[in-house]
Structures are given as C-alpha cells and as structure tokens.
Amino acid sequence: MSELMWLIRKTLKDTFRKKSSWFGYFGLPIAGILITMFLYGYNNTGIIRVGILNQDGNQAITQNVIRFMEGLNQVKVTILDEQTLHADIASGKLDSGIIFEQGFASSVRDGDPEHLSIISVKGTQVTAYIKAMLQNYIGNIAAIGKESHGDDAMFVRLYEAYSQQDFMLKAETIQDTSNMKMMTYQSIGFLIAFMMFSAVNMSEIILKEKENRTFLRLLSSPMSARTYVLSNVVANLIMMLLQIVVALVVMKNVLHIDSGVTYSELIPALLLFGLATICLSLLIVAFAKSTTGVDAMQNLIITPSCLLAGCFFPMEIMPDTVRKISSFLPQHWLLDMINKLQEGQTLGSLYVNMAILLAFAVVFALIAIFRFGRNNDVRQFV
C-alpha cells in the first residue's frame, strides 16, 4: 500500500511540475466553457424594439393604436421619421417597424383596415407577435365600424364604451431556460473532450518512463508491474476528479451557468465516464509503440468521436446517420444522461446509461490487458 501511495504522489508531482500542465488540465476546460458562453451566451431579454412612423396625423384611432402598442409588455416603442426608421432597422437597432399610412384611421372606421405596413429584416420570428396583437386590437375597432354602418355618433358611442372596458389582463413572464440548457450541454461537451485528452496524457507517462528507462528501474525494486499500472489509474482518477470539480465550480459559481443538475448527480456521472476514458487511454497506450504514436492515435480517435457524439455541436443539426453512429460512442451516453438529468430524471433511474458506460470501461480495459499480455517488445509495458 505504501508503494502504491508513493507512486501516486510521484505521478501527480511529475505531472504538475510544469506550469503548462496546470493550464492544460484546468485552463483548457475553462476556456471551452468561455467559448460556449460566447456562442450561446447572448441573453435575449425578450424586448422587441419597434419603431413607429405615423403618416396619418393626429387621428384618434391611430393615436390609440400607438398607445396600445406602448402599453404592451416586452415591447419598446419609439416614434421616428421615415429615414431614421429604415436606417435603424437596417443597422439592427430596431427589430421591427410599423408604418401608419395616411387613411389608416378612416379605413378602420369603415370596417376594412388598410394602409398599415409592418417591416423587419428578422422575419416572422419578430413580426408574428406584433401582427397578432395589432390584428386583435384593430379587428375589434373595425368590427365596431361595421356595426355602425357609417353612423358617426353610433361609432363614437360604441368606441368609447370599448375604450373604457373595465376588465384587466394580468400577464406573467416565464424565464426561457433553453439557452442556458444548450450552454450547459456544450460546456460539458468541451469538458468531455479535454477529459479524454487529459486521460491519455496521464496514461502516456507509462510509455515515457519506459523510454527513459525509469520504468525498468522501478521494477527492479520489490514493486510489481500491476501496482505501477494501478497507481497510474488512481492518479488519473484523482486528476480527473479535480478537473471536473474545478470546471463545474467555475461554470456555476463564477460564470453563473446553472446546469439545472446538482453536483451530487453531475459529478458521479462525469466520473463514471472518466473511468471509461481512462480505460480507453490505457488501450491507446497498449497499442502505441511510442509517445509519438500515442499523440497520433489520440488525435485520430478522440477528436472525430467527439464530433460525431455532439460534444462540439448540437445533435439536432446532425443527420440521422450520424446520430445512429453516435450511439456506439461513450460520449453520446454521457450527454444523453446529462439531458435526462436536466429534464428532471434522477441519476438512479438512468441505470441503462450507467451500465453502458461501465460496459465501455470493461471492454476497453479487457482489450488493453490482453494487448499488454501479448506484447513481447521490451520497449512496451508488459
């Protein structure tokens, strides 16, 4: 046991001796989270900026419609001239523009609303809400105009009664968490990729110490090869736990990205994936003949698999073929677990995902053990 503890301390000490290692293991995951914030961090307040151009003068109906727009929640109204309106829409300062052309009030009074234009460069995503609210309000006034049959006194009486309605509508705004969910998803995706690279770098120490003959000197002592490999695995797990905790704490407490999942559920899920990653790293080391080969193999395996599993891009934009392929990758099952945890499922109910991740770890470990046992090259770990 003392030999195991000594090897673990030695591995961790050698790993973090260089300042660049601290950045590689802890700085890069945080950088990945910052990149995700840049991509998804635009916090849409839901305020629609609307410019109004009134070419219908001081008509009472037109002025009331403008006041109605000003009273809407999540809508900021600005009265502008024609040149400024088009310039602000083109520059993005306004989301939409409403033009009340001359004759608008008269057309509404006649029961056939015309001379109203809504312009926007952002499409129906912005104009749909404005159109719906205007059609409802103007439609009611137009209905009064139809019932008046051209009788001005009747129209004024009905319109005043409509304007003085005493019922109230109370609205509550529900926070949209979809953007935060996507930010969490991609942050975890970047963390997964860096965890995999970190695990390979830690396992690569086995080959480095074989190349500089440190491994042979260690085995000349009473220390066994099994203890040596076990110490590397434990040190890898400790490093991965630190990496996970630091990334999650920075994400939640510093950058205020709320994943919607508690640490008690998120950390075990990531650690289980970390175990599979460590077994994969041992598999890569077992098949590589040198540290250069390890670097080539990890780039060939980790980066494409992370792309296919949706670590860097949402799976929703992937073709069906790619989604089916991702089912054979451990990253997919971890990301699927994170999604289900965010939906409110408990960690205990996701036994299928956990069993699949554990199966990946067992398969990778068995292949690595078989490869180590069949390897007779003295430059390799036996």
Side-chain angles (χ1 to χ4, degrees):
M1 188 67 181
S2 60
E3 296 171 353
L4 178 63
M5 296 303 297
W6 182 84
L7 281 172
I8 293 172
R9 287 196 300 269
K10 174 185 177 300
T11 302
L12 292 175
K13 184 178 179 181
D14 292 343
T15 300
F16 294 109
R17 181 174 297 171
K18 297 180 180 179
K19 293 182 180 180
S20 58
S21 298
W22 290 87
F23 176 76
Y25 289 115
F26 302 111
L28 288 179
I30 295 174
I33 297 172
L34 291 174
I35 292 174
T36 303
M37 286 189 65
F38 177 77
L39 295 175
Y40 296 96
Y42 172 68
N43 186 18
N44 187 4
T45 60
I47 300 296
I48 301 176
R49 299 161 299 176
V50 177
I52 290 181
L53 172 61
N54 183 11
Q55 297 176 335
D56 200 31
N58 293 323
Q59 298 291 332
I61 293 177
T62 305
Q63 294 297 326
N64 287 339
V65 173
I66 294 174
R67 281 193 289 270
F68 168 76
M69 291 297 302
E70 292 174 339
L72 291 175
N73 291 330
Q74 309 301 320
V75 176
K76 181 181 179 181
V77 174
T78 306
I79 308 298
L80 301 170
D81 58 64
E82 183 174 3
Q83 183 177 358
T84 306
L85 177 69
H86 290 287
D88 286 354
I89 291 177
S91 64
K93 294 181 180 179
L94 292 177
D95 298 310
S96 180
I98 301 175
I99 301 177
F100 295 99
E101 300 172 358
Q102 187 174 2
F104 165 74
S106 299
S107 66
V108 174
R109 193 164 184 165
D110 293 337
D112 185 19
E114 292 181 350
H115 308 291
L116 173 66
S117 301
I118 301 177
I119 56 177
S120 175
V121 296
K122 298 184 179 181
T124 56
Q125 183 179 2
V126 172
T127 60
Y129 175 72
I130 301 296
K131 285 182 178 179
M133 300 306 293
L134 282 175
Q135 286 176 354
N136 180 60
Y137 183 78
I138 296 174
N140 290 337
I141 303 176
I144 295 174
K146 286 184 179 180
E147 292 298 323
S148 301
H149 303 291
D151 187 339
D152 292 340
M154 181 182 294
F155 176 84
V156 172
R157 185 172 66 256
L158 293 175
Y159 183 58
E160 287 180 351
Y162 171 74
S163 301
Q164 295 173 2
Q165 51 192 317
D166 55 359
F167 66 85
M168 297 183 63
L169 176 64
K170 182 179 179 181
E172 293 185 4
T173 302
I174 300 176
Q175 185 179 5
D176 183 9
T177 60
S178 59
N179 202 45
M180 188 67 69
K181 182 179 178 181
M182 284 301 304
M183 195 184 302
T184 301
Y185 179 90
Q186 296 303 142
S187 297
I188 297 297
F190 279 108
L191 177 59
I192 287 172
F194 290 122
M195 283 172 61
M196 297 183 74
F197 281 110
S198 300
V200 175
N201 290 336
M202 289 287 289
S203 298
E204 190 181 9
I205 295 175
I206 296 174
L207 280 180
K208 289 180 179 179
E209 294 192 340
K210 284 179 65 65
E211 290 177 350
N212 60 24
R213 297 297 186 266
T214 302
F215 167 71
L216 296 177
R217 292 195 295 270
L218 288 172
L219 289 192
S220 63
S221 66
M223 190 177 303
S224 66
R226 186 175 302 174
T227 302
Y228 178 79
V229 174
L230 181 60
S231 69
N232 185 276
V233 172
V234 174
N236 212 331
L237 272 175
I238 293 173
M239 181 277 301
M240 201 156 290
L241 176 61
L242 292 173
Q243 193 176 40
I244 292 170
V245 171
V246 169
L248 293 182
V249 169
V250 170
M251 185 170 68
K252 185 173 183 179
N253 298 336
V254 178
L255 302 178
H256 304 292
I257 301 176
D258 187 4
S259 64
V261 183
T262 61
Y263 287 150
S264 60
E265 291 180 321
L266 198 54
I267 292 177
L270 289 168
L271 269 182
L272 181 58
F273 172 79
L275 180 62
T277 298
I278 292 171
C279 294
L280 175 62
S281 68
L282 290 175
L283 177 63
I284 293 174
V285 170
F287 278 90
K289 296 183 179 296
S290 65
T291 54
T292 304
V294 171
D295 295 337
M297 289 181 66
Q298 73 171 350
N299 291 328
L300 186 63
I301 294 173
I302 295 176
T303 303
S305 64
C306 286
L307 283 170
L308 292 173
C311 292
F312 305 138
F313 304 101
M315 283 301 298
E316 288 75 12
I317 67 174
M318 301 288 189
D320 290 337
T321 304
V322 176
R323 296 187 188 184
K324 293 178 181 178
I325 294 174
S326 69
S327 300
F328 296 92
L329 300 172
Q331 299 98 311
H332 165 80
W333 294 101
L334 174 62
L335 291 173
D336 181 67
M337 187 186 302
I338 301 299
N339 274 333
K340 291 178 178 177
L341 288 173
Q342 289 181 324
E343 292 171 358
Q345 299 187 39
T346 61
L347 185 63
S349 65
L350 303 177
Y351 54 88
V352 174
N353 296 67
M354 292 188 288
I356 291 174
L357 287 175
L358 187 60
F360 273 113
V362 171
V363 171
F364 292 152
L366 290 176
I367 297 174
I369 292 171
F370 176 78
R371 176 62 180 175
F372 279 137
R374 299 278 293 181
N375 196 343
N376 296 320
D377 190 340
V378 297
R379 294 175 301 169
Q380 301 289 327
F381 176 76
V382 181

